[in-house]
């Protein structure tokens, strides 16, 4: 049960963002820029970072939503699962392994990101901007995860919900529909 009154038809982060539209707008804009904006990392790779961070933070709603989005964008239902299980054996590039390692370190504590971790990413071909965006995506999803869990927003258990949400994320991104969500049933 959420700690504040939230619309039941808008579980997870969606209900929280609708609760305060003024604070939601800049968060949504930042998310849209980082996950859907111009980047040398694919949208699927950026969703993998969000899925990994959410998994390590134990935020079921965000983990399921971003794992499904990554699956859809990458065209493979196993990559997100493999990354969350073991970055080093996951079927992703060496550059992505190094960036996911930086994300995992940042998720624990930003001060755990070492020069060696950054060097590994650079040696694997990561640019300064890719390293920057990895850390910022990680920080943003730590915020989202704490927001969702700290206010105990509703977390659906039906996998079909996350399939629908993954499709919504991949088709529309992170912008709020012009009329809001009042007409949607989930």
């Amino acid at each position: 049960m959420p700690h504040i009154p939230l619309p039941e038809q808008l579980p997870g982060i969606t209900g929280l963002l609708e609760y305060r539209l003024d604070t939601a707008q800049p968060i949504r804009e930042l998310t849209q820029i980082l996950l859907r904006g111009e980047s040398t990392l694919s949208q699927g790779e950026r969703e993998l970072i969000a899925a990994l961070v959410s998994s390590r933070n134990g935020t079921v709603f965000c983990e399921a939503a971003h794992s499904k989005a990554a699956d859809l964008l990458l065209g493979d239902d196993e990559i997100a699962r493999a990354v969350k299980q073991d970055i080093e054996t996951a079927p992703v590039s060496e550059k992505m392994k190094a960036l996911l390692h930086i994300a995992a370190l940042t998720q624990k504590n930003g001060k755990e990101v070492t020069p060696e971790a950054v060097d590994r990413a650079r040696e694997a071909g990561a640019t300064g901007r890719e390293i920057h965006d990895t850390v910022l995506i990680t920080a943003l999803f730590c915020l989202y995860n704490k927001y969702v869990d700290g206010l105990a927003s509703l977390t659906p258990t039906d996998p079909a919900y996350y399939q629908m949400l993954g499709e919504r994320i991949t088709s529309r991104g992170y912008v709020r529909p012009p009329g809001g969500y009042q007409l949607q049933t989930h």
Side-chain angles (χ1 to χ4, degrees):
M1 175 130 197
H3 298 310
I4 60 175
L6 297 171
E8 277 187 42
Q9 78 276 15
L10 298 175
I13 194 67
T14 310
L16 294 169
L17 293 173
E18 287 295 293
Y19 185 83
R20 285 245 2 226
L21 295 176
D22 59 333
T23 59
Q25 183 178 348
I27 296 170
R28 284 181 183 278
E29 288 173 3
L30 180 58
T31 308
Q32 185 70 15
I33 290 166
L34 288 172
L35 295 180
R36 293 295 173 272
E38 203 173 302
S39 177
T40 51
L41 295 175
S42 74
Q43 292 180 12
E45 289 171 329
R46 290 176 276 166
E47 289 289 349
L48 281 177
I49 296 167
L52 175 69
V53 171
S54 298
S55 172
R56 292 192 174 211
N57 282 331
T59 305
V60 174
F61 180 88
C62 298
E63 175 187 354
H66 296 285
S67 293
K68 183 47 69 178
D71 290 348
L72 291 168
L73 289 164
L74 296 170
D76 188 320
D77 287 348
E78 293 300 314
I79 295 175
R81 183 198 54 73
V83 161
K84 293 181 295 184
Q85 186 175 339
D86 183 357
I87 294 167
E88 296 307 322
T89 61
V92 295
S93 69
E94 289 304 312
K95 175 176 88 172
M96 202 60 213
K97 287 177 185 178
L99 291 171
L100 289 163
H101 179 67
I102 288 173
L105 293 170
T106 302
Q107 177 270 330
K108 287 184 210 170
N109 179 338
K111 293 180 180 182
E112 290 201 22
V113 178
T114 62
E116 292 79 18
V118 172
D119 288 346
R120 175 186 174 195
R122 287 187 192 282
E123 288 168 11
T127 65
R129 181 168 171 176
E130 290 170 337
I131 294 165
H132 170 275
D133 288 359
T134 296
V135 171
L136 188 52
I137 291 167
T138 301
L140 179 62
F141 276 87
C142 284
L143 175 147
Y144 272 137
N145 298 159
K146 290 175 189 305
Y147 192 24
V148 166
D149 290 341
L151 288 170
S153 69
L154 298 170
T155 300
T157 56
D158 182 1
Y161 176 81
Y162 296 101
Q163 177 68 36
M164 180 277 304
L165 185 56
E167 290 170 3
R168 185 175 85 192
I169 290 169
T170 58
S171 67
R172 194 179 66 236
Y174 294 93
V175 296
R176 183 176 187 263
Y181 295 94
Q182 63 270 27
L183 299 177
Q184 295 189 352
T185 58
H186 44 334

